[in-house]
Amino acid sequence: MARPVKRSYKSDSRDAGANRTRAKVLEAGKYLFSRKGIDATTIAQIAERAGVSEPTVYATVKSKSGLLHALMHDAIFGPRFQAAQQRLVGVTDPVERIALTAHVARAIYEGESAALSLLMKASAFSPELRKQQNAFEALRRDMQRGRIDALFAAGRARPGLDKETAIGVMWTLTSRDVYHKLVHESGWSPDKFQDWLERTLLESLTDSA
């Protein structure tokens, strides 16, 4: 008779402790980045704010760059993004997947705005923030490429449109700058932005217009 497998309570406790430490370090970093700016904040200040040692900060996030990356990743790919991505699961129609891209874009920027708006204002000219944003932009383009590939493979792309142009159009229309200008500067609601973006993506990229 097989012996029951004992749960590793010590391992669970260590994981829970590591998660609490990570949360404290990230919250301290977000607080300081949002008030002092990324470039003016030091690891020592983050450690003091989090109530941990400097080596613990380095062990948790490696560097200020690693901390900023973690903050951006958690904000961008958080619950809103996960819910939007879930809507894509099981959808095989490439045109419908293009339409749902508007929902994904809204989720990304709503999550980012809710979590990091003060940080981005305080660090608007930070080279480190720009570096992280550029890395995200490259990732976003790669993530969208599969939807464009599927659209062309199904023969549903707008006539006369080539694939690389289509990728560039989708990437540009779903950019942070477009969302910011329409929602934050022009006063559009997120619903209005999503509706506009869905229509514009379908008209610009597909044969369904």
Side-chain angles (χ1 to χ4, degrees):
M1 181 176 177
R3 294 181 179 179
V5 177
K6 293 183 179 180
R7 184 178 178 184
S8 175
Y9 290 103
K10 288 185 178 180
S11 177
D12 290 346
S13 178
R14 283 197 299 270
D15 290 344
N19 288 337
R20 286 194 296 270
T21 298
R22 182 182 186 275
K24 288 195 296 184
V25 170
L26 263 60
E27 186 58 35
K30 184 169 75 170
Y31 178 90
L32 291 168
F33 288 169
S34 299
R35 286 155 180 79
K36 297 169 61 69
I38 295 165
D39 300 335
T41 299
T42 67
I43 292 292
Q45 291 166 343
I46 294 167
E48 182 179 5
R49 176 81 188 176
V52 299
S53 67
E54 289 184 50
T56 296
V57 175
Y58 284 112
T60 303
V61 293
K62 309 301 182 187
S63 62
K64 284 200 300 181
S65 177
L67 174 53
L68 179 60
H69 175 82
L71 288 169
M72 292 185 68
H73 182 277
D74 287 1
I76 291 168
F77 299 117
R80 286 182 174 88
F81 174 81
Q82 296 300 328
Q85 283 290 97
Q86 191 62 34
R87 291 185 59 180
L88 287 167
V89 174
V91 176
T92 57
D93 180 358
V95 173
E96 187 177 352
R97 290 181 67 84
I98 295 297
L100 285 172
T101 297
H103 183 56
V104 175
R106 171 187 175 172
I108 286 173
Y109 300 124
E110 274 193 312
E112 183 181 76
S113 296
L116 302 180
S117 59
L118 290 176
L119 184 157
M120 290 186 168
K121 287 178 182 177
S123 302
F125 301 105
S126 168
E128 188 56 50
L129 178 60
R130 177 54 58 185
K131 176 183 174 182
Q132 293 291 341
Q133 288 176 330
N134 288 343
F136 164 71
E137 286 299 304
L139 174 61
R140 189 171 63 81
R141 189 177 185 123
D142 287 343
M143 291 172 65
Q144 293 177 347
R145 183 178 292 272
R147 279 167 246 166
I148 296 295
D149 287 343
L151 185 71
F152 276 81
R156 298 297 309 277
R158 183 172 64 79
L161 186 67
D162 66 87
K163 189 181 292 186
E164 287 305 313
T165 298
I167 292 169
V169 168
M170 175 182 274
W171 183 63
T172 300
L173 290 174
T174 59
S175 68
R176 176 187 291 105
D177 287 345
V178 171
Y179 179 88
H180 183 83
K181 287 183 181 301
L182 294 179
V183 175
H184 294 298
E185 295 183 15
S186 299
W188 285 21
S189 69
D191 283 340
K192 182 177 180 179
F193 168 79
Q194 182 178 327
D195 290 344
W196 167 82
L197 182 56
E198 181 176 324
R199 290 195 309 272
T200 305
L201 288 172
L202 291 174
E203 292 169 359
S204 301
L205 301 173
T206 78
D207 64 359
S208 64

